[in-house]
Amino acid sequence: MGYEELIIRSYDPQYDRTRVEDFERKCEVGPAKRVFLFTDTLGDPICRIRNSPIYKMLVAELGNQLVGVIQGSIKLVTVHKPPNDLAKVGYILGLRVSSLYRRRGIGSSLVIKLEEWFIANDVDYGYMATEKDNKASVKLFVERLSYVKFQTPTILVNPVSHRMSRISSNVELAKLKIEEAEAIYRKFMSSTEFFPIDIGNILRNKLSLGTWAAYPRGESWGGVPSSWAMLSVWNSGELFKLRLGNAPLSCLMYTKSSRLIEKLAPCVKLPCIPDFFRPFGFYFIYGVYREGPLSGKLVRTLCRFVRNMASKSKDCKVIVTEVGGSDSSRLHIPHWKSLSCPEDLWCIKALKNEKKNSLHELTKTPPTRALFVDPREV
């Protein structure tokens, strides 16, 4: 029997939607050997890229068998490099290969095909994010496809419970109008790495629940407070759901017992793990910025406010934040260490010959600048 030819083509929603949905449902997310997540795209396999300015999904087939998928999006961002500070970047995400067809070069073929689409759209750099411990992904992108380490952001995860967090009476909270939030972000965060030029479109998206600012009570927001902080919230649960696919029995037992204790004896301060074994959504905090000596406390207050807001949602089980590894704001964002990832890995590759020298400067310079994580790419 001869070898079947690998065919890589664009995603066709009429023909591929159900097949890709089933395929995604069978693929685990994350490198852990025992614990992994299943995704439910709620009938829209391209939901994670649909809100990006330009996007594409590719599917790989052997015969009539779907064996792999990949997604990509393109946008214009701030990247600190000479001679200017703007670059068109292509983000690679959602690479999946069937477990029965791995180690056959399908993953690398999908990435190369997507890079060709990037190049055709005049993209300067391609980049991707993965867990630092995902050896298969690191080997594919770094060793085989010449991507290099760019950033090591921190992913902070805070579970949501029905207990309301106390908001300090010494802090004033204000929800900002979209136009005001956009103006502040452009003024104070446009110099951060990967700041999206279309920030206004993100803030106006229906999935963006709003932007809030915190400052000391008694001071005026319009009069430049001595300390202040701001953040925005994105409802990722409206796009797709997650479900824990496998876990030790001890984890399951603790989840159920802690929830029971919370109902029967709410005064007992036992940390309660949400039920991750059923499909759940999450809120993503983005655009965290602060100034002033009390700004760390203000960030923590804002995060408590978001947690209270999430507790009123029927399926929001966690709040996720991703900040640059050198961003001191991470010290003030509530999270569970056991659920968080202290060092995620972003890798980048120059797709134009003239960009290779600037790529060297990008990746060899310590990442001291703040990093803007686009909620559309979570």
Side-chain angles (χ1 to χ4, degrees):
M1 181 164 60
Y3 288 102
E4 293 179 299
E5 180 184 2
L6 179 68
I7 297 176
I8 297 177
R9 59 172 177 80
S10 296
Y11 165 79
D12 181 344
Q14 292 186 330
Y15 177 67
D16 295 319
R17 185 180 63 82
T18 302
R19 293 201 310 157
V20 173
E21 259 205 298
D22 292 339
F23 182 79
E24 289 271 7
R25 213 174 274 125
K26 295 174 183 177
C27 290
E28 68 272 15
V29 178
K33 295 179 179 178
R34 298 186 64 187
V35 180
F36 52 81
L37 295 172
F38 285 112
T39 58
D40 181 353
T41 57
L42 306 178
D44 184 10
I46 60 172
C47 62
R48 292 182 63 193
I49 55 175
R50 186 178 291 282
N51 292 286
S52 297
I54 307 174
Y55 58 85
K56 192 178 191 67
M57 173 183 261
L58 298 174
V59 299
E61 295 175 314
L62 280 174
N64 293 321
Q65 181 75 28
L66 179 65
V67 296
V69 297
I70 195 171
Q71 301 179 47
S73 61
I74 299 173
K75 63 182 179 181
L76 191 63
V77 301
T78 300
V79 175
H80 289 278
K81 57 172 185 58
N84 57 62
D85 287 341
L86 293 180
K88 186 179 282 191
V89 295
Y91 182 53
I92 299 171
L93 71 160
L95 175 60
R96 308 272 191 271
V97 176
S98 171
S99 58
L100 298 176
Y101 293 90
R102 291 173 185 169
R103 296 184 176 86
R104 300 190 186 185
I106 295 174
S108 57
S109 295
L110 280 165
V111 175
I112 291 170
K113 201 71 174 178
L114 189 63
E115 287 178 345
E116 292 175 0
W117 177 69
F118 286 160
I119 293 170
N121 282 274
D122 199 33
V123 168
D124 298 306
Y125 304 97
Y127 75 105
M128 50 76 69
T130 188
E131 296 84 358
K132 183 181 178 182
D133 297 330
N134 191 335
K135 295 180 180 179
S137 183
V138 172
K139 183 176 181 179
L140 171 63
F141 282 93
V142 176
E143 296 183 18
R144 295 183 184 176
L145 298 172
S146 302
Y147 283 72
V148 293
K149 177 180 174 181
F150 172 53
Q151 290 270 356
T152 52
T154 299
I155 300 175
L156 305 172
V157 180
N158 198 30
V160 174
S161 73
H162 296 294
R163 294 195 192 105
M164 302 292 283
S165 298
R166 189 182 72 85
I167 303 298
S168 173
S169 59
N170 296 322
V171 176
E172 192 78 48
L173 299 177
K175 185 174 183 179
L176 306 183
K177 294 182 179 180
I178 293 176
E179 294 77 14
E180 182 181 13
E182 180 179 357
I184 295 174
Y185 276 133
R186 291 193 184 280
K187 180 178 180 180
F188 293 99
M189 294 198 75
S190 61
S191 63
T192 61
E193 294 287 13
F194 276 48
F195 179 81
I197 300 305
D198 66 334
I199 181 65
N201 292 336
I202 298 175
L203 296 171
R204 290 177 176 82
N205 192 291
K206 64 179 182 179
L207 297 175
S208 193
L209 301 181
T211 302
W212 287 267
Y215 54 96
R217 187 174 294 278
E219 299 188 26
S220 171
W221 173 247
V224 187
S226 59
S227 295
W228 61 279
M230 66 184 293
L231 55 75
S232 299
V233 183
W234 183 270
N235 186 7
S236 297
E238 286 294 312
L239 290 178
F240 61 93
K241 308 294 183 188
L242 298 173
R243 175 176 60 83
L244 198 63
N246 193 14
L249 179 61
S250 58
C251 178
L252 175 62
M253 294 301 293
Y254 181 83
T255 299
K256 292 186 176 297
S257 62
S258 64
R259 288 171 63 83
L260 179 62
I261 291 174
E262 182 185 40
K263 290 180 180 180
L264 299 180
C267 59
V268 178
K269 300 301 182 181
L270 179 69
C272 179
I273 298 179
D275 184 2
F276 294 137
F277 297 92
R278 297 180 183 179
F280 65 91
F282 64 96
Y283 285 174
F284 184 77
I285 292 177
Y286 69 99
V288 180
Y289 185 81
R290 65 190 183 94
E291 283 195 358
L294 300 178
S295 59
K297 175 184 176 181
L298 298 175
V299 167
R300 183 172 291 273
T301 299
L302 282 169
C303 291
R304 287 173 177 167
F305 170 79
V306 175
R307 189 171 184 267
N308 289 345
M309 184 170 66
S311 68
K312 300 175 184 178
S313 170
K314 64 179 181 179
D315 68 352
C316 180
K317 300 293 177 65
V318 294
I319 297 169
V320 181
T321 315
E322 187 169 10
V323 296
S326 60
D327 190 339
S328 60
S329 293
R330 72 188 190 283
L331 303 175
H332 307 286
I333 297 173
H335 63 280
W336 278 22
K337 185 177 180 180
S338 58
L339 298 177
S340 302
C341 176
E343 195 171 357
D344 200 28
L345 179 62
W346 284 24
C347 297
I348 191 170
K349 176 181 179 179
L351 298 178
K352 296 178 179 177
N353 289 330
E354 63 268 25
K355 300 296 181 181
K356 291 183 179 179
N357 289 335
S358 57
L359 177 63
H360 178 80
E361 296 181 21
L362 275 173
T363 56
K364 296 304 178 184
T365 303
T368 55
R369 292 183 182 273
L371 178 69
F372 193 100
V373 180
D374 193 328
R376 298 172 296 188
E377 298 175 352
V378 175

